[in-house]
Amino acid sequence: MMIVGTILAILAAVVLTIFLGPYGILVLFAVGFGLLLSIHVRTKEIHDDMQKIKEKLGLTAGDDYVSDQEIEAELEQDRVKEEH
């Protein structure tokens, strides 16, 4: 897929250079920057939406985090209870 995209970009650069002269490459970079910015904004919106969904469902891991020390202490307590 990347090879196809690379070939299309090269062809677009050649065609734009033929029709627009030295400004063709500048137009190609401007379009590419616009596409990247659009993808970034859309990805940010999707990320924010996912965070809202997680909060709504109570799936946020912020409060549920347990440190390694707490886990080890709990396992030690369980082991002691099993011995008695």
Side-chain angles (χ1 to χ4, degrees), residues 2-17 25 28:
M2 288 190 56
I3 295 173
V4 174
T6 304
I7 292 172
L8 286 176
I10 292 170
L11 289 175
V14 169
V15 169
L16 285 173
T17 303
I25 300 297
L28 184 65

Side-chain angles (χ1 to χ4, degrees), residues 15-82:
V15 169
L16 285 173
T17 303
I18 290 172
F19 287 115
L20 299 176
Y23 297 109
I25 300 297
L26 182 63
V27 170
L28 184 65
F29 282 125
V31 169
F33 179 76
L35 286 171
L36 285 174
L37 187 62
S38 173
I39 290 169
H40 173 71
V41 169
R42 183 66 185 137
T43 303
K44 180 71 174 155
E45 289 174 355
I46 291 171
H47 180 267
D48 292 341
D49 290 343
M50 289 296 295
Q51 289 303 109
K52 289 178 185 176
I53 290 169
K54 285 181 180 180
E55 288 174 8
K56 179 94 174 168
L57 295 175
L59 298 176
T60 55
D63 298 334
D64 297 335
Y65 176 74
V66 180
S67 68
D68 290 339
Q69 290 82 14
E70 291 172 350
I71 292 172
E72 289 175 8
E74 187 176 328
L75 289 173
E76 184 66 26
Q77 289 174 356
D78 289 343
R79 187 184 62 78
V80 169
K81 286 179 184 177
E82 288 177 2

